[in-house]
Amino acid sequence: MLLFLFFYLMPWPCWAQGIEVYFSPNGGCQHAVIAEIKKATQSIDIAMYYLSSREIAQALVKAKENNVQVRIVLDQGQEIEPASKSGYLVKHGFNIRYHLGFGLMHNKFAIIDGISLITGSFNWTLTAEERNEENLLIITDAGTIEKYKDRFEYLWNTSRADSRNARVADAIPAWFCATYHLFCTN
């Protein structure tokens, strides 16, 4: 019975398919995200519905300090959500944008150096790590990653800059701000 529980509860890398699988609560999802962030040497692109994990935000700051380019697209509600780490990240010089669509930007993925993909239902929150039933996949299949790269570029190009980050907001054309009624500095 103990052997069965051990095999059932452990995260299992599926090496043949290039996939690692994790579950929460307390199944190592947050640790896996942080481990992937620490591996980054060039870039991290994140599309995340909800990001309030202090530990993940701190890992992102360390990556940026190591000259890793980090781009983040969040759901527009994250700009004003008190628990969101978006303000913390903007204060640390991050380039954050917010989804402009009518529905939620409910994606939950990150691309690390173009060679590793983190995805699944796992929001980057303490609640997701400790209480929710969530899943997380780390995928290294190049074809799958390419599709997520394309989606990230679409999200990035159709999202608006954080209104607290004037450096980024200055790069947005005035017509775009007026058309979408954004709080740009132009």
Side-chain angles (χ1 to χ4, degrees), residues 73-88:
V73 175
L74 297 173
D75 183 71
Q76 59 189 335
Q78 292 296 289
E79 189 171 20
I80 59 171
E81 170 60 44
S84 173
K85 293 301 178 201
S86 65
Y88 169 80

Side-chain angles (χ1 to χ4, degrees), residues 9 19 25 47 49 58 90 97 108 118 138 155 157 161 163 176 178:
L9 295 176
I19 300 173
Y49 171 65
Q58 289 170 339
V90 166
R97 293 191 179 181
K108 299 164 183 96
I118 303 167
I138 299 175
L155 291 169
N157 291 326
S163 62
F176 189 81

Side-chain angles (χ1 to χ4, degrees), residues 1-174:
M1 180 65 171
L2 281 175
L3 189 60
F4 171 77
L5 286 175
F6 174 77
F7 285 112
Y8 180 73
L9 295 176
M10 291 300 296
W12 282 100
C14 301
W15 301 112
Q17 293 87 16
I19 300 173
E20 295 177 39
V21 179
Y22 299 86
F23 296 97
S24 65
N26 300 313
C29 292
Q30 181 169 276
H31 176 75
V33 170
I34 292 169
E36 289 299 306
I37 290 169
K38 287 180 178 179
K39 291 178 189 176
T41 60
Q42 298 173 1
S43 65
I44 302 173
D45 288 336
I46 300 166
M48 186 59 50
Y49 171 65
Y50 204 98
L51 196 168
S52 66
S53 167
R54 180 184 50 165
E55 291 83 1
I56 292 174
Q58 289 170 339
L60 290 169
V61 168
K62 286 180 183 174
K64 187 175 183 305
E65 289 170 352
N66 290 328
N67 297 316
V68 174
Q69 178 191 357
V70 181
R71 298 185 299 170
I72 303 171
V73 175
L74 297 173
D75 183 71
Q76 59 189 335
Q78 292 296 289
E79 189 171 20
I80 59 171
E81 170 60 44
S84 173
K85 293 301 178 201
S86 65
Y88 169 80
L89 294 170
V90 166
K91 287 178 186 174
H92 282 86
F94 280 78
N95 202 351
I96 295 181
R97 293 191 179 181
Y98 298 94
H99 176 64
L100 292 173
F102 293 106
L104 297 175
M105 200 293 299
H106 211 247
N107 285 291
K108 299 164 183 96
F109 70 86
I111 304 161
I112 310 294
D113 291 337
I115 59 171
S116 178
L117 169 69
I118 303 167
T119 192
S121 68
F122 185 73
N123 280 302
W124 292 4
T125 69
L126 185 62
T127 302
E129 176 63 18
E130 294 182 349
R131 292 190 282 196
N132 293 352
E133 288 290 337
E134 306 270 359
N135 68 78
L136 181 84
L137 303 171
I138 299 175
I139 301 169
T140 56
D141 175 71
T144 303
I145 293 169
E146 196 59 37
K147 291 176 183 177
Y148 276 85
K149 282 182 181 178
D150 290 345
R151 190 61 181 179
F152 181 83
E153 290 303 327
Y154 166 78
L155 291 169
W156 182 257
N157 291 326
T158 59
S159 297
R160 67 170 173 79
D162 188 295
S163 62
R164 299 167 289 199
N165 191 337
R167 186 172 44 84
V168 175
D170 288 339
I172 298 175

